[in-house]
Amino acid sequence: MKLYNSLTKKVEDFKTNEPGKVSMYTCGPTVYHFAHIGNLRSYICEDVLEKLLRFGGYDVKRVMNITDVGHLSSDADTGEDKMLKGARREHKTVMEIAKFYTDAFFSDCNKLNIKMPDVVEPATNCIPEFINMIEGLLEKGYAYKAGDNIYFDTSRLVNYYVFGNQNEDELMVGARDDVTEDTNKRNKNDFVLWFTRSKFEDQALKWDSPWGVGYPGWHIECSCISMKHLGEKLDLHCGGVDNMFPHHTNEIAQSESFIGHKWCNYWFHVHHLNDETGKMSKSKGEFLTVSLLEKKGYDPLAYRLFVLQSHYRKPLTFSFAILDQADATYKKLKSRIAPVEEEGAVDEGAVKEWHDKFLEAVGDDCNTAMGLTLLYDVLKSELNGATKRKVIEDYDYVLSLDLLKTEEEAGVDEELKKYVEAKIAERAEAKKAKDFEKADAIRDELAGKGIVIKDTREGAVWSRA
Ligand code: AMP
Ligand code: ZN
């Protein structure tokens, strides 16, 4: 496999630390609002990458954080905690907001056939790990205390701007006029590891620490959560391009200063989805969500197809006119696949040959558009029906467009999904009201229909028995 690496700015052969195994980390969502379809572009591309690695025979362990504390309105430690803003907007507690939008994120992912990472860990679960790393950085002289906050000292690094081509002034991200600059910082781009002297008196989540009661900065979570589950050598780290600076730059600074050696070998960055007025972002007020697409009658998988048609390293502009085209293409594609009958014996040799073709083409820096072209080639080929279906099934592991599902099956699934989700919500209400008898009755009712529900920290999840 070949992959563009933002660290070297080259397409490189992908080599892992351990043969056959990939440790992969993804920056998760900040759960103060719904994800917009731009965020989900990043998650779709990262999902494709994970599945492609598995398709190529790698054993992948993928970890993702959920940012539920410490991410301020600007990425540069100024402004207000986004979670607090969300809570105030909705007159709820920060934890209620976190739970609601974490569930909403996974429901969107589910609709887009984005697989759940192997480990999902909220930042608030890992405070001891953060404190441990910050203590280590202080001991080694990479961090300092000022105004009772703890900062990372970027001047200690010879090469802080690892992604290059960056100019300090341009990089004063989001230093907004309405926020006074933090005069405690020794260098412009020093960043907060731990906030103790809070500028925000009503900060909802606070923990005890060796430096007093406070809360972590945003960047520390990804370094610690990654190391907790994937160790000190990471193969692959993903996120959107806006994460390159300051977030990923800071993750590298603190991780490598702490462990004393190189941390992550490959950095995968997905370019932005723009609308006609520029980068799609939540701060613009109105933004596009998967639910909105559904309300307008689109199948979320038509949006997935729209994303797969373009390369992840190119900005992509969204408009409903272009989505209409993708929607039409999706319907046409499915209608071409549906009549392919399960006839003849599967030619395993041919399946392998087409598998290798896909790996070669799409494995060249995640060229999903080539994967779609190959899919049409399969349909046009001389293969018998059974073999065609087998190859399509194989490709659909990566593309995840439900290519072999008939309309009826998809319809039934949608209905089932709605029914189960309504029941889960009803059960959650019953539990909240301490009506455990009703909650158990709902669980049994679902079990009777072959649906198993499991309670997780992020809420109930369901699967077929
Ligand atoms: P957030 O929830 O804001 O922390 O962002 C979640 C992910 O979405 C991050 O990896 C961001 O880099 C990515 N992202 C943010 N805006 C966009 C966009 N317009 N297009 C694609 N990815 C984005
Ligand atoms: Zn991150």
Side-chain angles (χ1 to χ4, degrees), residues 8-21:
T8 57
K9 296 193 176 51
K10 281 193 196 109
V11 177
E12 294 176 19
D13 283 328
F14 182 68
K15 293 200 187 87
T16 58
N17 285 305
E18 259 188 80
K21 286 193 175 172

Side-chain angles (χ1 to χ4, degrees), residues 50 98 300 432:
E50 176 191 342
K432 213 161 134 194

Side-chain angles (χ1 to χ4, degrees), residues 78-94:
T78 55
E80 189 179 26
D81 189 318
K82 291 188 179 187
M83 294 303 297
L84 207 59
K85 224 167 148 174
R88 189 165 328 113
R89 184 185 65 230
E90 298 184 19
H91 309 289
K92 291 192 181 138
T93 65
V94 166

Side-chain angles (χ1 to χ4, degrees), residues 259-307:
I259 55 184
H261 58 77
K262 186 164 181 180
W263 173 45
C264 176
N265 288 333
Y266 297 87
W267 288 82
F268 177 88
H269 288 114
V270 180
H271 282 249
H272 280 149
L273 181 77
N274 301 313
D275 55 28
E276 278 131 341
T277 59
K279 183 197 159 200
M280 196 169 284
S281 78
K282 292 177 208 172
S283 54
K284 280 188 179 170
E286 274 260 299
F287 56 84
L288 293 172
T289 59
V290 170
S291 314
L292 191 78
L293 298 189
E294 281 183 308
K295 268 190 212 128
K296 287 181 180 279
Y298 294 98
D299 183 333
L301 294 181
Y303 176 68
R304 183 169 173 116
L305 177 72
F306 164 72
V307 169

